[in-house]
Amino acid sequence: MASNPVTPEPEGRKKGPWANRVLSSEIEHTPEYDEFMKKLAEYHEKRGTPLVHEPELGRKLLDLNKLYQRVTEQGAWRDIANTYKPPVNNTNAGYLLKTIYYKYLAAYEISNFFGKEPPPKEWLEDRSAAGGAIMTRTAEDFQAMSPEKPDANGDSASPPATEKRSLRHAPTPRQFYAPETTPHRVNPPRSASQTQQQQQNNSSTNGDNGTAHFPTFQTPVTNAPIGRPVATPRNAPHEFLGRAHRQAEMNGASIGPRFGAGHQGSNMMQRIVMGLKSGIPSEIDFGLSQLVRISFEAGDDLHVDHWPGLTEMLFERLQGVEQLVNDNTLHGKHDTVVHSGFTTQLEKINEAALILRNMCMHVENARKFAGLGGPKDIMVMCLQLPNHPSLVELKNYILDMVEAMANCLPYLSNDPLFDVLVEGLESDDRGILLGSLKSICRLVMGRDELNLVGEIPLRSVSRVTSILMVEDDELVSTCLDFLYQYTTNDENIQKLLQPPVGYELVRHLGRLLLFQGITGEQLVYIKTVRKQRQPSGDIPGLPQEIVNDLLGYTEPERATKWMRCCFEEDPDADITQIALWQAYQARFNEFVTTGLPLLPAAEFIKNVSVAFTTASAMVLPTSQGQKFIIKGIRARETPMNTKGHIYLACRWFMSPGNPNSECRAMVAHPQDLWAHVLNTHLPPPPDGTSNQQPLLCNWAGCTRFGNTGENVRLKVVAHVRTHMPNDTKFHTLSREEQEMMEDPEGRVIIRRCQTQTDERGEAGGIPLTSVLVLRNLKRRGGELASRLLKACHEDFYEVMAVNKPLANYVSDLLLDG
């Protein structure tokens, strides 16, 4: 029964993890495409095979019409698969495409293109696509590979539908090697009965024990002749003794190593040098490519002195670029023709330049190159080449070499190297402009006796100053280095500060003082308020919950706990023994009648050293007599419970400006303190009352709202909230820090803008170079520079306040004189 063609399932109906993937398609529903698909569908319906109209290859829907035309015209599966641009990780796209073709188009091609009959679908569509060409799978080839055998009824047998591939007649018998221990192998005699039995076995294997297409796998027994065993060192070791000596005597040669045996040959560098000297193009190409790799991976080990002649050969190859450019110049218009031969030769010259550039990164190599006579002229020649895009890479390598050798190169009046570098300042190519600036800075560095940069035209210097507005860190930093060298001379500064260029330069330099700064805020305490130490008798009262907790302990542990709740260690403080005893007695004397006796006074004083290891009882002689004190403790401002939690005290003045009227209510947590302040000291207006009387902030003498107060309660509440302690950090601070935080007038928020610093925390980068250029302008610019800098004093004050690493440098700009 013929099956209906299979149409692709709509994308919205697909299930599974690939349901939502996006597919691209090359299908164009033209009349030609629709006619071809109609014929193909009719053919598959007649043949009884399924058809997918739009099969997938990777993430692309295939056009079967185009695929059929490409295969019949080209036939190269890999080339055809590459036209579909499969993913990089899809290495078997050709096989997948061939499988799709064999499944839906192979039979159609055999019938309509070649005019032959295709084999059954079991031998074509259901088979693997691996194998030979498509015309090796016709019906004639199928019949030749599988000859028909008549069955019991005389009908021709056809391959079953479930059979996928043919099987060999019998597997190759496996025979394992079993060496003999004797020098000769003896064949045992055969008896007639054994021979007869062998023949019966052979005849039984020829019976029809299997099907027509699945033969049996019984190994036939053959009477193969048994040859004579081969002598090996294992079974005949005596024959191999002395064979090498006898063979050498027969040949008349002496025993010993042959000429060149064990020699490893020359190393890689020797072969490279010899290849460059040989002049053979293939060896030269190999040597240059290997030198590029070696100079990049191990450039520090590539010394000029170790390989004599290598430098001269590379510079000689670099010198050939002039002739190459001249041979490809049209009518003197500096328009080189970029063809394959020119590009190939220029690539080899660029490789030589890259090798020399990498070698120049080593200081000793750069010094050696600068000492030679020819390299400087060759570099000048290369930089004077036409401004053609194909020569930009070469010029960048040359500029890197000039920068590395600048300190060692000799400089003469009207030096052509300096002139060609100045011409590079007008280039529109970023690499050439950057390399020219760096080379000029290195060339003039340390040569103060010659005002080299003063010879640069003012137009080029103005172009450099305008680049400071570009958002390019490397380019801006290089321009600032150039301006620093330029402003070391008084004459240069006078030319640079002429209006309007001078004002714009100072303004841009001031802007760069905060370049890439990290902004933030810092809380600073500029005033420290130290409170007077409380009198020794001012012992904090205990909340009832702490008292109830202490009553659960027996003496002397209760006395120890009470001391720790009300006192803390202080090596400079003291309290009289009588005051300490009276405070304890006043607190717990009322509970004596309930069966909780107090610790005797003498035992109580001795117990102080148990509660505080640094405290001790002392007797001090005074004019009034002896004074008995406890040295090393002082009363707490707020009590602490037995678990170590310090209570908070309300600092609200009941009478404004009167510290003796402090509320001193004790609470356990900051939220309880805040609720106490809102309910007790800042209560909301009564219900039904719209008028709110002026409120004041009386926390610890705060004068935020003066004597008149504030009518808006929310403003007062928001301000008082800033006095509340932090639940997690307040108690970890020292006493002095707490006193500073409690002073509302001592807290100032300062804006910070931290710029780049080095490993020592000092200023660096673009901001440092900018302030150094400004300092040069102030020191050498005279009255004109002072006027320009004075116009930016407000900006300098701000930078000095927010950028601490740069403050010392900026302060020099604000000083007169």
PDB file of all heavy atoms in Angstrom, residues 275-304:
ATOM      1  N   GLY A 275      69.739  28.720   6.183  1.00  0.00           N
ATOM      2  CA  GLY A 275      68.701  28.861   5.170  1.00  0.00           C
ATOM      3  C   GLY A 275      68.616  30.271   4.628  1.00  0.00           C
ATOM      4  O   GLY A 275      68.416  30.485   3.428  1.00  0.00           O
ATOM      5  N   LEU A 276      68.774  31.291   5.512  1.00  0.00           N
ATOM      6  CA  LEU A 276      68.753  32.671   5.044  1.00  0.00           C
ATOM      7  C   LEU A 276      69.960  32.978   4.169  1.00  0.00           C
ATOM      8  O   LEU A 276      69.870  33.752   3.214  1.00  0.00           O
ATOM      9  CB  LEU A 276      68.709  33.627   6.238  1.00  0.00           C
ATOM     10  CG  LEU A 276      67.439  33.587   7.098  1.00  0.00           C
ATOM     11  CD1 LEU A 276      67.569  34.539   8.275  1.00  0.00           C
ATOM     12  CD2 LEU A 276      66.213  33.941   6.277  1.00  0.00           C
ATOM     13  N   LYS A 277      71.107  32.367   4.480  1.00  0.00           N
ATOM     14  CA  LYS A 277      72.294  32.588   3.671  1.00  0.00           C
ATOM     15  C   LYS A 277      72.225  31.864   2.333  1.00  0.00           C
ATOM     16  O   LYS A 277      72.866  32.276   1.367  1.00  0.00           O
ATOM     17  CB  LYS A 277      73.540  32.122   4.431  1.00  0.00           C
ATOM     18  CG  LYS A 277      73.886  32.964   5.653  1.00  0.00           C
ATOM     19  CD  LYS A 277      75.125  32.436   6.338  1.00  0.00           C
ATOM     20  CE  LYS A 277      75.495  33.271   7.556  1.00  0.00           C
ATOM     21  NZ  LYS A 277      76.714  32.753   8.245  1.00  0.00           N
ATOM     22  N   SER A 278      71.463  30.779   2.277  1.00  0.00           N
ATOM     23  CA  SER A 278      71.431  29.964   1.057  1.00  0.00           C
ATOM     24  C   SER A 278      70.770  30.680  -0.110  1.00  0.00           C
ATOM     25  O   SER A 278      71.087  30.421  -1.265  1.00  0.00           O
ATOM     26  CB  SER A 278      70.708  28.640   1.330  1.00  0.00           C
ATOM     27  OG  SER A 278      69.336  28.884   1.596  1.00  0.00           O
ATOM     28  N   GLY A 279      69.808  31.571   0.161  1.00  0.00           N
ATOM     29  CA  GLY A 279      69.089  32.232  -0.912  1.00  0.00           C
ATOM     30  C   GLY A 279      67.990  31.396  -1.520  1.00  0.00           C
ATOM     31  O   GLY A 279      67.337  31.847  -2.466  1.00  0.00           O
ATOM     32  N   ILE A 280      67.759  30.193  -1.022  1.00  0.00           N
ATOM     33  CA  ILE A 280      66.687  29.338  -1.535  1.00  0.00           C
ATOM     34  C   ILE A 280      65.349  29.875  -1.014  1.00  0.00           C
ATOM     35  O   ILE A 280      65.192  30.056   0.195  1.00  0.00           O
ATOM     36  CB  ILE A 280      66.895  27.879  -1.107  1.00  0.00           C
ATOM     37  CG1 ILE A 280      68.272  27.382  -1.585  1.00  0.00           C
ATOM     38  CG2 ILE A 280      65.778  26.998  -1.612  1.00  0.00           C
ATOM     39  CD1 ILE A 280      68.611  26.000  -1.087  1.00  0.00           C
ATOM     40  N   PRO A 281      64.399  30.177  -1.884  1.00  0.00           N
ATOM     41  CA  PRO A 281      63.144  30.799  -1.422  1.00  0.00           C
ATOM     42  C   PRO A 281      62.434  29.992  -0.347  1.00  0.00           C
ATOM     43  O   PRO A 281      61.937  30.558   0.628  1.00  0.00           O
ATOM     44  CB  PRO A 281      62.313  30.908  -2.704  1.00  0.00           C
ATOM     45  CG  PRO A 281      63.331  30.948  -3.807  1.00  0.00           C
ATOM     46  CD  PRO A 281      64.458  30.071  -3.355  1.00  0.00           C
ATOM     47  N   SER A 282      62.367  28.665  -0.525  1.00  0.00           N
ATOM     48  CA  SER A 282      61.654  27.853   0.467  1.00  0.00           C
ATOM     49  C   SER A 282      62.363  27.899   1.818  1.00  0.00           C
ATOM     50  O   SER A 282      61.707  27.964   2.872  1.00  0.00           O
ATOM     51  CB  SER A 282      61.534  26.412  -0.031  1.00  0.00           C
ATOM     52  OG  SER A 282      62.820  25.843  -0.253  1.00  0.00           O
ATOM     53  N   GLU A 283      63.693  27.863   1.815  1.00  0.00           N
ATOM     54  CA  GLU A 283      64.435  27.925   3.070  1.00  0.00           C
ATOM     55  C   GLU A 283      64.311  29.302   3.713  1.00  0.00           C
ATOM     56  O   GLU A 283      64.256  29.433   4.939  1.00  0.00           O
ATOM     57  CB  GLU A 283      65.906  27.578   2.834  1.00  0.00           C
ATOM     58  CG  GLU A 283      66.161  26.123   2.491  1.00  0.00           C
ATOM     59  CD  GLU A 283      65.802  25.195   3.642  1.00  0.00           C
ATOM     60  OE1 GLU A 283      65.944  25.616   4.808  1.00  0.00           O
ATOM     61  OE2 GLU A 283      65.357  24.068   3.373  1.00  0.00           O
ATOM     62  N   ILE A 284      64.293  30.344   2.893  1.00  0.00           N
ATOM     63  CA  ILE A 284      64.131  31.697   3.433  1.00  0.00           C
ATOM     64  C   ILE A 284      62.750  31.854   4.071  1.00  0.00           C
ATOM     65  O   ILE A 284      62.614  32.416   5.173  1.00  0.00           O
ATOM     66  CB  ILE A 284      64.350  32.736   2.325  1.00  0.00           C
ATOM     67  CG1 ILE A 284      65.817  32.705   1.858  1.00  0.00           C
ATOM     68  CG2 ILE A 284      63.976  34.127   2.814  1.00  0.00           C
ATOM     69  CD1 ILE A 284      66.101  33.639   0.701  1.00  0.00           C
ATOM     70  N   ASP A 285      61.723  31.333   3.396  1.00  0.00           N
ATOM     71  CA  ASP A 285      60.373  31.412   3.961  1.00  0.00           C
ATOM     72  C   ASP A 285      60.300  30.653   5.280  1.00  0.00           C
ATOM     73  O   ASP A 285      59.693  31.134   6.256  1.00  0.00           O
ATOM     74  CB  ASP A 285      59.353  30.851   2.972  1.00  0.00           C
ATOM     75  CG  ASP A 285      59.275  31.696   1.714  1.00  0.00           C
ATOM     76  OD1 ASP A 285      59.799  32.836   1.735  1.00  0.00           O
ATOM     77  OD2 ASP A 285      58.715  31.216   0.713  1.00  0.00           O
ATOM     78  N   PHE A 286      60.903  29.463   5.313  1.00  0.00           N
ATOM     79  CA  PHE A 286      60.908  28.677   6.545  1.00  0.00           C
ATOM     80  C   PHE A 286      61.657  29.408   7.658  1.00  0.00           C
ATOM     81  O   PHE A 286      61.201  29.467   8.809  1.00  0.00           O
ATOM     82  CB  PHE A 286      61.547  27.306   6.283  1.00  0.00           C
ATOM     83  CG  PHE A 286      61.761  26.494   7.530  1.00  0.00           C
ATOM     84  CD1 PHE A 286      60.717  25.798   8.117  1.00  0.00           C
ATOM     85  CD2 PHE A 286      63.013  26.433   8.129  1.00  0.00           C
ATOM     86  CE1 PHE A 286      60.910  25.054   9.268  1.00  0.00           C
ATOM     87  CE2 PHE A 286      63.221  25.693   9.277  1.00  0.00           C
ATOM     88  CZ  PHE A 286      62.165  25.007   9.854  1.00  0.00           C
ATOM     89  N   GLY A 287      62.805  29.970   7.347  1.00  0.00           N
ATOM     90  CA  GLY A 287      63.593  30.659   8.360  1.00  0.00           C
ATOM     91  C   GLY A 287      62.879  31.875   8.922  1.00  0.00           C
ATOM     92  O   GLY A 287      62.888  32.112  10.139  1.00  0.00           O
ATOM     93  N   LEU A 288      62.245  32.667   8.066  1.00  0.00           N
ATOM     94  CA  LEU A 288      61.539  33.851   8.546  1.00  0.00           C
ATOM     95  C   LEU A 288      60.352  33.481   9.424  1.00  0.00           C
ATOM     96  O   LEU A 288      60.119  34.094  10.473  1.00  0.00           O
ATOM     97  CB  LEU A 288      61.079  34.699   7.357  1.00  0.00           C
ATOM     98  CG  LEU A 288      62.180  35.395   6.551  1.00  0.00           C
ATOM     99  CD1 LEU A 288      61.584  36.111   5.346  1.00  0.00           C
ATOM    100  CD2 LEU A 288      62.960  36.378   7.414  1.00  0.00           C
ATOM    101  N   SER A 289      59.586  32.484   9.004  1.00  0.00           N
ATOM    102  CA  SER A 289      58.425  32.082   9.806  1.00  0.00           C
ATOM    103  C   SER A 289      58.845  31.542  11.162  1.00  0.00           C
ATOM    104  O   SER A 289      58.211  31.828  12.191  1.00  0.00           O
ATOM    105  CB  SER A 289      57.605  31.032   9.046  1.00  0.00           C
ATOM    106  OG  SER A 289      58.381  29.859   8.811  1.00  0.00           O
ATOM    107  N   GLN A 290      59.936  30.768  11.199  1.00  0.00           N
ATOM    108  CA  GLN A 290      60.404  30.245  12.483  1.00  0.00           C
ATOM    109  C   GLN A 290      60.984  31.344  13.361  1.00  0.00           C
ATOM    110  O   GLN A 290      60.828  31.330  14.585  1.00  0.00           O
ATOM    111  CB  GLN A 290      61.449  29.147  12.239  1.00  0.00           C
ATOM    112  CG  GLN A 290      60.905  27.890  11.612  1.00  0.00           C
ATOM    113  CD  GLN A 290      59.843  27.230  12.474  1.00  0.00           C
ATOM    114  OE1 GLN A 290      59.990  27.142  13.693  1.00  0.00           O
ATOM    115  NE2 GLN A 290      58.771  26.776  11.842  1.00  0.00           N
ATOM    116  N   LEU A 291      61.650  32.313  12.757  1.00  0.00           N
ATOM    117  CA  LEU A 291      62.208  33.416  13.548  1.00  0.00           C
ATOM    118  C   LEU A 291      61.106  34.284  14.146  1.00  0.00           C
ATOM    119  O   LEU A 291      61.275  34.827  15.242  1.00  0.00           O
ATOM    120  CB  LEU A 291      63.124  34.265  12.673  1.00  0.00           C
ATOM    121  CG  LEU A 291      64.586  33.823  12.574  1.00  0.00           C
ATOM    122  CD1 LEU A 291      65.360  34.760  11.662  1.00  0.00           C
ATOM    123  CD2 LEU A 291      65.234  33.771  13.948  1.00  0.00           C
ATOM    124  N   VAL A 292      60.000  34.448  13.442  1.00  0.00           N
ATOM    125  CA  VAL A 292      58.876  35.185  14.008  1.00  0.00           C
ATOM    126  C   VAL A 292      58.375  34.505  15.273  1.00  0.00           C
ATOM    127  O   VAL A 292      58.114  35.147  16.310  1.00  0.00           O
ATOM    128  CB  VAL A 292      57.746  35.328  12.964  1.00  0.00           C
ATOM    129  CG1 VAL A 292      56.478  35.864  13.614  1.00  0.00           C
ATOM    130  CG2 VAL A 292      58.175  36.245  11.841  1.00  0.00           C
ATOM    131  N   ARG A 293      58.259  33.186  15.210  1.00  0.00           N
ATOM    132  CA  ARG A 293      57.783  32.447  16.383  1.00  0.00           C
ATOM    133  C   ARG A 293      58.799  32.511  17.526  1.00  0.00           C
ATOM    134  O   ARG A 293      58.435  32.761  18.680  1.00  0.00           O
ATOM    135  CB  ARG A 293      57.520  30.980  15.995  1.00  0.00           C
ATOM    136  CG  ARG A 293      57.077  30.103  17.147  1.00  0.00           C
ATOM    137  CD  ARG A 293      56.946  28.657  16.701  1.00  0.00           C
ATOM    138  NE  ARG A 293      58.202  28.125  16.202  1.00  0.00           N
ATOM    139  CZ  ARG A 293      59.161  27.648  16.998  1.00  0.00           C
ATOM    140  NH1 ARG A 293      59.006  27.630  18.315  1.00  0.00           N
ATOM    141  NH2 ARG A 293      60.269  27.157  16.473  1.00  0.00           N
ATOM    142  N   ILE A 294      60.071  32.316  17.212  1.00  0.00           N
ATOM    143  CA  ILE A 294      61.096  32.306  18.255  1.00  0.00           C
ATOM    144  C   ILE A 294      61.235  33.684  18.888  1.00  0.00           C
ATOM    145  O   ILE A 294      61.354  33.815  20.119  1.00  0.00           O
ATOM    146  CB  ILE A 294      62.434  31.826  17.661  1.00  0.00           C
ATOM    147  CG1 ILE A 294      62.327  30.361  17.230  1.00  0.00           C
ATOM    148  CG2 ILE A 294      63.567  31.998  18.676  1.00  0.00           C
ATOM    149  CD1 ILE A 294      63.550  29.852  16.492  1.00  0.00           C
ATOM    150  N   SER A 295      61.200  34.740  18.071  1.00  0.00           N
ATOM    151  CA  SER A 295      61.344  36.088  18.631  1.00  0.00           C
ATOM    152  C   SER A 295      60.173  36.471  19.508  1.00  0.00           C
ATOM    153  O   SER A 295      60.312  37.299  20.409  1.00  0.00           O
ATOM    154  CB  SER A 295      61.488  37.099  17.494  1.00  0.00           C
ATOM    155  OG  SER A 295      60.308  37.128  16.692  1.00  0.00           O
ATOM    156  N   PHE A 296      59.017  35.887  19.266  1.00  0.00           N
ATOM    157  CA  PHE A 296      57.849  36.175  20.100  1.00  0.00           C
ATOM    158  C   PHE A 296      57.864  35.347  21.386  1.00  0.00           C
ATOM    159  O   PHE A 296      57.579  35.858  22.465  1.00  0.00           O
ATOM    160  CB  PHE A 296      56.567  35.904  19.319  1.00  0.00           C
ATOM    161  CG  PHE A 296      55.316  36.047  20.139  1.00  0.00           C
ATOM    162  CD1 PHE A 296      54.838  37.294  20.499  1.00  0.00           C
ATOM    163  CD2 PHE A 296      54.609  34.926  20.560  1.00  0.00           C
ATOM    164  CE1 PHE A 296      53.687  37.427  21.262  1.00  0.00           C
ATOM    165  CE2 PHE A 296      53.470  35.045  21.323  1.00  0.00           C
ATOM    166  CZ  PHE A 296      53.005  36.305  21.669  1.00  0.00           C
ATOM    167  N   GLU A 297      58.194  34.064  21.279  1.00  0.00           N
ATOM    168  CA  GLU A 297      58.134  33.178  22.443  1.00  0.00           C
ATOM    169  C   GLU A 297      59.373  33.289  23.317  1.00  0.00           C
ATOM    170  O   GLU A 297      59.269  33.154  24.545  1.00  0.00           O
ATOM    171  CB  GLU A 297      57.950  31.725  21.977  1.00  0.00           C
ATOM    172  CG  GLU A 297      56.637  31.478  21.244  1.00  0.00           C
ATOM    173  CD  GLU A 297      56.535  30.056  20.737  1.00  0.00           C
ATOM    174  OE1 GLU A 297      57.548  29.307  20.857  1.00  0.00           O
ATOM    175  OE2 GLU A 297      55.467  29.685  20.218  1.00  0.00           O
ATOM    176  N   ALA A 298      60.547  33.495  22.729  1.00  0.00           N
ATOM    177  CA  ALA A 298      61.795  33.539  23.504  1.00  0.00           C
ATOM    178  C   ALA A 298      62.655  34.685  22.993  1.00  0.00           C
ATOM    179  O   ALA A 298      63.818  34.491  22.628  1.00  0.00           O
ATOM    180  CB  ALA A 298      62.539  32.205  23.413  1.00  0.00           C
ATOM    181  N   GLY A 299      62.084  35.881  22.947  1.00  0.00           N
ATOM    182  CA  GLY A 299      62.817  37.021  22.427  1.00  0.00           C
ATOM    183  C   GLY A 299      64.005  37.423  23.274  1.00  0.00           C
ATOM    184  O   GLY A 299      65.016  37.929  22.764  1.00  0.00           O
ATOM    185  N   ASP A 300      63.933  37.191  24.598  1.00  0.00           N
ATOM    186  CA  ASP A 300      65.044  37.570  25.475  1.00  0.00           C
ATOM    187  C   ASP A 300      66.278  36.709  25.237  1.00  0.00           C
ATOM    188  O   ASP A 300      67.395  37.131  25.565  1.00  0.00           O
ATOM    189  CB  ASP A 300      64.613  37.455  26.934  1.00  0.00           C
ATOM    190  CG  ASP A 300      63.534  38.472  27.289  1.00  0.00           C
ATOM    191  OD1 ASP A 300      63.428  39.474  26.561  1.00  0.00           O
ATOM    192  OD2 ASP A 300      62.801  38.262  28.270  1.00  0.00           O
ATOM    193  N   ASP A 301      66.105  35.516  24.698  1.00  0.00           N
ATOM    194  CA  ASP A 301      67.239  34.629  24.448  1.00  0.00           C
ATOM    195  C   ASP A 301      67.837  34.815  23.054  1.00  0.00           C
ATOM    196  O   ASP A 301      68.849  34.166  22.734  1.00  0.00           O
ATOM    197  CB  ASP A 301      66.802  33.167  24.605  1.00  0.00           C
ATOM    198  CG  ASP A 301      66.308  32.878  26.026  1.00  0.00           C
ATOM    199  OD1 ASP A 301      66.773  33.574  26.940  1.00  0.00           O
ATOM    200  OD2 ASP A 301      65.457  31.997  26.191  1.00  0.00           O
ATOM    201  N   LEU A 302      67.237  35.660  22.239  1.00  0.00           N
ATOM    202  CA  LEU A 302      67.707  35.860  20.867  1.00  0.00           C
ATOM    203  C   LEU A 302      68.664  37.057  20.849  1.00  0.00           C
ATOM    204  O   LEU A 302      68.282  38.183  20.543  1.00  0.00           O
ATOM    205  CB  LEU A 302      66.516  36.098  19.936  1.00  0.00           C
ATOM    206  CG  LEU A 302      66.782  35.974  18.427  1.00  0.00           C
ATOM    207  CD1 LEU A 302      67.274  34.582  18.082  1.00  0.00           C
ATOM    208  CD2 LEU A 302      65.506  36.285  17.642  1.00  0.00           C
ATOM    209  N   HIS A 303      69.916  36.823  21.192  1.00  0.00           N
ATOM    210  CA  HIS A 303      70.914  37.884  21.262  1.00  0.00           C
ATOM    211  C   HIS A 303      71.620  38.031  19.914  1.00  0.00           C
ATOM    212  O   HIS A 303      71.853  37.043  19.201  1.00  0.00           O
ATOM    213  CB  HIS A 303      71.946  37.580  22.347  1.00  0.00           C
ATOM    214  CG  HIS A 303      71.358  37.558  23.726  1.00  0.00           C
ATOM    215  ND1 HIS A 303      71.158  38.697  24.460  1.00  0.00           N
ATOM    216  CD2 HIS A 303      70.910  36.524  24.495  1.00  0.00           C
ATOM    217  CE1 HIS A 303      70.615  38.373  25.627  1.00  0.00           C
ATOM    218  NE2 HIS A 303      70.458  37.065  25.669  1.00  0.00           N
ATOM    219  N   VAL A 304      71.983  39.276  19.593  1.00  0.00           N
ATOM    220  CA  VAL A 304      72.648  39.557  18.325  1.00  0.00           C
ATOM    221  C   VAL A 304      74.037  38.926  18.286  1.00  0.00           C
ATOM    222  O   VAL A 304      74.464  38.375  17.257  1.00  0.00           O
ATOM    223  CB  VAL A 304      72.730  41.084  18.115  1.00  0.00           C
ATOM    224  CG1 VAL A 304      73.496  41.411  16.846  1.00  0.00           C
ATOM    225  CG2 VAL A 304      71.328  41.680  18.069  1.00  0.00           C
TER     226      VAL A 304
END
